[in-house]
């Protein structure tokens, strides 16, 4: 058995929520504001609706194949060869997202915390700690989310609360600058990033109450959307759209301006800690999903066998892929949405259609 651990509904929710919140607190706000400007809240609402609908498909497949991850039921649905290819696409996606999170965090640490430190050294330390957590098993990963996700929420709420006195509501105008078709196109990027929560297809078999998986996903993306909109609106009302879209780390910049009297300042230090902690949880979840999926594809009994090799591959790739944060953002804005939506939307819909054709509507 690859994994004997079980997770609760609360843990399931917080794992998915951690994936979303870490993207909110890093570079996503800058890109979204640059593209959508004052209409960004409409884009986020569209993203929520679409992702909530996609979650139903993942839930249906999880219920049709209750003891299998998305990697395993791909093979059950498509057969041994096409199924392995489908499973490998999911694994490659998880691995790619692991690399993106690793590069984003290391660039952030190098920029705001350990300036001048070799990036390779930062990557090595991050991967080593991540490997240790992944080897500890799913239940440890889930408990990490339980601890860190609430702290991230508190840190973000502190930033939003103590920056209220700088809000300029006039910055919210003009509104409704985009028609529905334009909003749908603008929602491609956040949908692709929300889609990282396809990891629910990995964790449903280990949920102690799988029938609550859909509710957990909806709570995670619903609360993530609310915090996203609050954060984006704060950035726009305080900095304006032009300045916000020029900041590499706008949430960190927002934390820097907070000062309450002479005793409550330098809050950005807390933000640094929780941003890194949240990204670490995201990296652990994605790393775990990658190695577990690989082990299931190649029928390896212990996924821990693969964790050091996967770490070495990530470390090597981190040297050659994306030399700076600008390259990461350019790729994220242009190519990534189409690659991600192919995996997160079209591939999973295809699996459902083939499943219904091959195994019938009332499969038990």
């Amino acid at each position: 058995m690859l994994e004997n651990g079980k997770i609760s509904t609360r843990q399931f929710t917080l794992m998915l929520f951690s994936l979303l919140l870490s993207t909110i607190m890093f570079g996503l706000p800058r890109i979204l504001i640059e593209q959508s400007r004052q209409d960004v809240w409409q884009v986020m609402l569209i993203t929520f609706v679409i992702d909530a609908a996609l979650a139903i498909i993942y839930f249906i497949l999880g219920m049709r194949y209750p003891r299998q991850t998305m990697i395993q039921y791909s093979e059950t649905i498509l057969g041994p060869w096409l199924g392995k290819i489908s499973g490998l696409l999911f694994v490659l996606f998880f691995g790619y997202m692991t690399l993106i999170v690793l590069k984003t965090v290391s660039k952030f640490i190098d920029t705001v915390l350990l300036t001048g430190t070799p990036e390779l050294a930062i990557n090595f330390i991050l991967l080593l700690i991540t490997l240790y957590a992944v080897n500890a098993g799913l239940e440890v990963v889930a408990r990490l989310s339980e601890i860190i996700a609430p702290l991230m929420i508190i840190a973000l709420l502190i930033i939003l609360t103590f920056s209220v006195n700088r809000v300029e509501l006039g910055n919210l105008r003009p509104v409704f600058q985009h028609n529905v078709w334009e909003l749908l196109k603008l929602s491609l990027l956040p949908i692709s990033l929300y889609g990282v929560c396809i990891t629910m297809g990995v964790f449903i078999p280990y949920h102690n109450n799988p029938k609550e998986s859909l509710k957990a996903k909806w709570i995670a993306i619903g609360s993530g959307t609310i915090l996203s909109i609050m954060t984006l609106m704060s950035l726009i009302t305080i900095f304006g759209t032009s300045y916000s879209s020029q900041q590499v780390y706008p949430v960190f910049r927002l934390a820097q301006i907070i000062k309450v009297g002479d005793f409550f300042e330098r809050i950005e230090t807390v933000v640094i800690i929780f941003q890194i902690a949240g990204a670490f949880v995201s990296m652990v979840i994605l790393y775990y999903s990658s190695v577990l999926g690989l082990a299931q594809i190649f029928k390896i009994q212990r996924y821990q066998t693969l964790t050091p090799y996967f770490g070495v591959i990530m470390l090597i790739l981190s040297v050659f892929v994306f030399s700076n944060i600008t390259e990461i953002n350019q790729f994220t804005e242009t190519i990534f949405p189409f690659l991600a939506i192919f995996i997160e939307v079209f591939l999973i819909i295809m699996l459902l259609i083939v499943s219904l054709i091959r195994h019938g509507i009332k499969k038990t």
Side-chain angles (χ1 to χ4, degrees):
M1 183 66 177
L2 288 174
E3 176 60 70
N4 295 313
K6 288 291 183 179
I7 57 176
S8 67
T9 299
R10 183 181 67 253
Q11 291 171 329
F12 192 101
T13 303
L14 290 174
M15 288 172 70
L16 298 179
F17 178 77
S18 297
L19 282 171
L20 288 181
L21 197 60
S22 61
T23 61
I24 294 168
M25 296 186 73
F26 273 104
L28 182 58
R30 184 201 68 79
I31 300 173
L32 288 177
I33 292 172
E34 181 181 34
Q35 292 183 345
S36 309
R37 306 185 73 79
Q38 285 87 347
D39 289 342
V40 68
W41 62 273
Q42 299 171 56
V43 171
M44 297 308 298
L45 289 178
I46 291 172
T47 299
F48 167 74
V49 171
I50 294 175
D51 198 56
L54 289 172
I56 297 173
I57 299 177
Y58 287 97
F59 176 72
I60 291 172
L61 286 169
M63 293 299 98
R64 286 171 67 84
Y65 307 96
R67 289 176 291 277
Q68 297 182 15
T69 68
M70 63 199 315
I71 313 298
Q72 294 170 312
Y73 63 61
S74 290
E75 195 166 334
T76 302
I77 295 170
L78 300 176
W81 293 107
L82 287 178
K84 287 184 185 298
I85 293 172
S86 174
L88 190 58
L89 288 174
F90 286 124
V91 168
L92 289 173
F93 177 72
F94 295 142
Y96 168 76
M97 290 304 300
T98 305
L99 181 62
I100 288 294
V101 175
L102 173 66
K103 292 289 289 187
T104 303
V105 176
S106 64
K107 293 294 183 185
F108 178 74
I109 292 173
D110 182 55
T111 301
V112 306
L113 190 63
L114 301 175
T115 305
T117 303
E119 185 182 342
L120 187 63
I122 298 173
N123 291 340
F124 176 77
I125 294 171
L126 287 171
L127 284 168
L128 191 64
I129 300 171
T130 302
L131 186 151
Y132 179 80
V134 170
N135 277 348
L138 178 59
E139 292 182 355
V140 171
V141 175
R143 285 196 290 271
L144 271 174
S145 299
E146 280 189 294
I147 295 169
I148 293 176
L151 295 176
M152 292 170 65
I153 295 171
I154 292 171
L156 192 55
L157 290 177
I158 288 174
I159 295 171
L160 298 179
T161 301
F162 287 105
S163 60
V164 167
N165 62 329
R166 295 175 178 267
V167 165
E168 294 288 343
L169 294 179
N171 288 336
L172 292 175
R173 295 193 299 267
V175 295
F176 303 109
Q177 303 172 66
H178 304 87
N179 59 43
V180 174
W181 176 243
E182 289 172 333
L183 291 173
L184 286 171
K185 288 194 293 185
L186 291 170
S187 67
L188 286 178
L189 175 58
I191 287 170
S192 65
L193 291 170
Y194 265 49
V196 75
C197 289
I198 64 171
T199 50
M200 76 177 287
V202 174
F203 299 125
I204 286 177
Y206 307 113
H207 189 189
N208 60 13
N209 189 359
K211 292 183 178 180
E212 292 192 352
S213 299
L214 182 60
K215 181 181 75 172
K217 172 67 182 287
W218 282 349
I219 292 173
I221 63 174
S223 52
T225 300
I226 291 170
L227 281 172
S228 293
I229 292 174
M230 290 171 60
T231 303
L232 292 164
M233 291 297 97
S234 291
L235 290 169
I236 291 173
T237 54
I238 292 170
F239 294 137
T241 55
S242 297
Y243 186 80
S244 296
S245 61
Q246 293 171 4
Q247 299 301 305
V248 178
Y249 305 111
V251 177
F252 175 72
R253 176 61 186 137
L254 184 59
Q256 285 183 310
I257 70 171
I258 293 176
K259 182 177 181 181
V260 181
D262 296 323
F263 62 93
F264 193 67
E265 53 185 26
R266 303 292 298 178
I267 191 66
E268 69 269 19
T269 305
V270 177
V271 175
I272 290 172
I273 294 171
F274 292 133
Q275 278 188 293
I276 294 172
F280 167 69
V281 171
S282 296
M283 196 159 65
V284 170
I285 293 170
L286 293 165
Y287 196 124
Y288 175 88
S289 300
S290 301
V291 292
L292 181 71
L294 279 174
Q296 290 171 339
I297 289 172
F298 296 109
K299 313 301 181 186
I300 298 172
Q301 290 301 309
R302 295 184 73 255
Y303 73 84
Q304 288 91 341
T305 305
L306 299 174
T307 53
Y309 302 106
F310 184 80
V312 170
I313 292 171
M314 290 294 104
L315 187 62
I316 293 172
L317 288 176
S318 71
V319 176
F320 300 103
V321 178
F322 303 123
S323 59
N324 54 60
I325 196 67
T326 302
E327 290 185 7
I328 296 176
N329 288 338
Q330 287 176 343
F331 184 83
T332 302
E333 291 180 59
T334 55
I335 300 174
F336 173 74
F338 300 100
L339 294 176
I341 287 174
F342 172 77
I343 300 293
E344 301 161 358
V345 180
F346 294 109
L347 183 55
I348 202 68
I349 290 175
M350 181 200 70
L351 285 174
L352 178 60
I353 293 171
V354 175
S355 174
L356 293 172
I357 293 171
R358 293 193 61 188
H359 301 142
I361 294 175
K362 295 183 178 180
K363 184 185 184 304
T364 56

